[in-house]
């Protein structure tokens, strides 16, 4: 009888440990997914910013400014 009780307690502890491990794994996967979404959204804003910068440089070059002066103007320098 006492062996069965010990085995049952051991099984319960193992099940709790496995449940905790699964929850931790799932939590880390969610955190990773959220981080990847944040990185992707930051790339979208970076793409827009670079598009505006390139348009600014092209406009300045069209007015006859050298490329270096156009880049300096567009960066605010």
């Amino acid at each position: 009888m006492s062996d069965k009780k010990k085995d049952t307690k051991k099984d319960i502890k193992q099940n709790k440990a496995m449940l905790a491990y699964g929850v931790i794994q799932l939590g880390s996967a969610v955190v990773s997914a959220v981080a990847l979404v944040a990185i992707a959204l930051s790339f979208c804003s970076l793409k827009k910013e670079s598009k505006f910068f390139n348009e600014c440089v092209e406009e300045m070059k069209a007015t006859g400014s050298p490329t270096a002066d156009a880049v300096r103007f567009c960066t605010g320098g």
Side-chain angles (χ1 to χ4, degrees), residues 27-77:
S28 65
V30 168
V31 169
S32 296
V34 169
L36 286 174
V37 167
I39 291 169
L41 291 176
S42 70
F43 278 136
C44 289
S45 65
L46 184 64
K47 180 181 174 185
K48 287 180 185 177
E49 188 176 332
S50 69
K51 179 183 174 188
F52 290 134
F53 179 78
N54 288 338
E55 288 174 359
C56 177
V57 170
E58 290 302 320
E59 278 184 39
M60 291 302 296
K61 283 176 59 178
T63 63
S65 296
T67 305
D69 290 341
V71 169
R72 189 177 322 122
F73 175 80
C74 293
T75 57

Side-chain angles (χ1 to χ4, degrees), residues 5-41:
K5 285 184 182 179
K6 287 181 182 177
D7 288 343
T8 304
K9 286 183 181 180
K10 185 178 178 183
D11 288 342
I12 290 173
K13 285 182 181 180
Q14 269 187 333
N15 287 342
K16 285 183 180 179
M18 291 302 289
L19 179 64
Y21 177 75
V23 168
I24 291 170
Q25 285 284 75
L26 185 61
S28 65
V30 168
V31 169
S32 296
V34 169
L36 286 174
V37 167
I39 291 169
L41 291 176

